Amino acid sequence: MTLTAGSNPVDRMTTRAVVVPRARRSRPVGASSPSRPGRPSRVVTAVKWTVIVVAIAVAVLPIVYMVGMSFKSPDDILSTRILPSRLAFENWTAAFQNWPILTYLRNSLGVALVAVAVALLIAIPANYAMARLRAGGSQTLGLIVSAYVAPPVVAIIPLFVLMRAANLMDSVIGLGLIEGLLLTPVAVWLLDGFFRAIPEEIDEAAALDGCGPIRTLWSVILPLTAPGVVAVAIIVFILVYNDFLIPLMLTQSVNAQTLPVGIALMQGGREVMFGQMAAASLAGLIPVYLLALFLQKWLVGGLTQGAVK
């Protein structure tokens, strides 16, 4: 008796399907390999580098333009030449000889330092009260930030009256006090993320050790938020250092005028001293760049710490 294939149960149990793998197709020489998962394509990489180059150019070209203008003669400036026909070093010497650039720089640094101290002395306890003591409710931060939305020119007349009544008119201390109060909402807003990122268990552990709110803020919270505080201080410093409207309205003499106001006053009888203004502007950039250079680790660390919840 003949058995057909597959009729025996034993044969059906022992039969196995054999899959023969297909031969891999050889890729032609010079053909591009497929992109790996998670690896950006060439288009994405090209777009990314294009954006980076454009951002660097936007940041660097104004400085390069000012450097070129500071070494141009008046004839080269009026002729709109891109490159100077000769290096006019007299713009730098005339700027420091004819105008009190160093006094303007000293006033700008003094006003910025006073403003940073005032803003942080108010913002740090305010943030601790809102983040830890639940002071003011959930809408307090929005109300504080909304105070910065109004343009500063609205408060010029009341500030002028208050400064004159307090005998702080035309002084570095008075101007720094006003600038610090005006930028306190910005400091409070920037510090909010740093304070709320600290776990509340740290406060509870400090309370078990017998620390009150003030000691907890000084000994526990401030060391943890030090990068954020430094980052906020740098931002407030730069905002005050570059401000023009408030110093223009509240200062009257060289004893308190800041560098932006002094540069605006650099005008001759019939012409504007563009070369000297460019030289003074570059001199004013040096302190800010040195500050950012030496504190860049704190600045980057503080900004990244505040961005991560």
Side-chain angles (χ1 to χ4, degrees):
M1 182 177 63
T2 60
L3 297 177
T4 60
S7 61
N8 192 345
V10 178
D11 293 339
R12 288 198 300 267
M13 294 176 61
T14 57
T15 302
R16 296 292 185 270
V18 179
V19 179
V20 179
R22 292 183 299 176
R24 297 182 179 177
R25 296 180 180 180
S26 59
R27 188 169 60 249
V29 178
S32 59
S33 60
S35 59
R36 298 178 182 177
R39 185 177 182 180
S41 62
R42 294 182 178 180
V43 177
V44 175
T45 304
V47 171
K48 181 181 68 174
W49 280 105
T50 302
V51 172
I52 292 175
V53 171
V54 171
I56 294 175
V58 170
V60 173
L61 283 180
I63 301 176
V64 174
Y65 180 78
M66 281 199 304
V67 171
M69 183 171 289
S70 66
F71 290 102
K72 286 183 179 180
S73 62
D75 295 335
D76 291 339
I77 295 175
L78 294 177
S79 63
T80 65
R81 294 174 57 94
I82 298 178
L83 296 177
S85 58
R86 63 179 182 86
L87 294 179
F89 292 98
E90 59 267 18
N91 290 329
W92 287 84
T93 56
F96 283 89
Q97 290 177 358
N98 300 333
W99 307 95
I101 304 298
L102 296 179
T103 303
Y104 292 148
L105 281 173
R106 183 192 62 193
N107 295 338
S108 295
L109 293 175
V111 170
L113 291 176
V114 173
V116 168
V118 172
L120 291 182
L121 285 176
I122 300 175
I124 291 175
N127 279 105
Y128 180 75
M130 289 188 299
R132 289 298 191 265
L133 305 180
R134 304 294 187 268
S138 59
Q139 302 298 327
T140 306
L141 181 63
L143 294 174
I144 293 175
V145 175
S146 63
Y148 189 71
V149 176
V153 70
V154 176
I156 286 296
I157 296 178
L159 290 176
F160 182 85
V161 174
L162 291 175
M163 291 276 289
R164 186 174 60 181
N167 199 20
L168 293 175
M169 195 68 185
D170 199 30
S171 67
V172 173
I173 300 297
L175 186 58
L177 179 63
I178 294 298
E179 292 277 11
L181 293 175
L182 291 176
L183 288 176
T184 297
V186 178
V188 171
W189 176 52
L190 293 175
L191 284 175
D192 181 72
F194 300 107
F195 278 81
R196 296 187 186 276
I198 300 176
E200 295 185 359
E201 289 77 9
I202 295 179
D203 296 61
E204 297 175 359
L208 292 177
D209 290 339
C211 296
I214 298 178
R215 186 177 178 185
T216 301
L217 172 62
W218 179 259
S219 302
V220 180
I221 302 299
L222 275 183
L224 296 176
T225 58
V229 172
V230 174
V232 173
I234 295 174
I235 294 174
V236 173
F237 182 92
I238 294 175
L239 291 176
V240 176
Y241 190 82
N242 295 329
D243 191 22
F244 173 74
L245 179 61
I246 301 298
L248 178 64
M249 296 297 180
L250 300 181
T251 57
Q252 300 172 350
S253 65
V254 181
N255 296 328
Q257 288 173 340
T258 58
L259 185 63
V261 177
I263 293 176
L265 298 176
M266 296 177 67
Q267 300 180 10
R270 296 182 179 180
E271 61 178 348
V272 180
M273 309 297 183
F274 289 108
Q276 299 180 25
M277 293 173 67
S281 300
L282 291 174
L285 287 177
I286 294 176
V288 178
Y289 274 90
L290 291 178
L291 180 68
L293 178 63
F294 288 109
L295 298 179
Q296 61 179 343
K297 180 177 69 174
W298 290 80
L299 179 61
V300 175
L303 294 178
T304 54
Q305 177 183 345
V308 179
K309 296 290 184 180

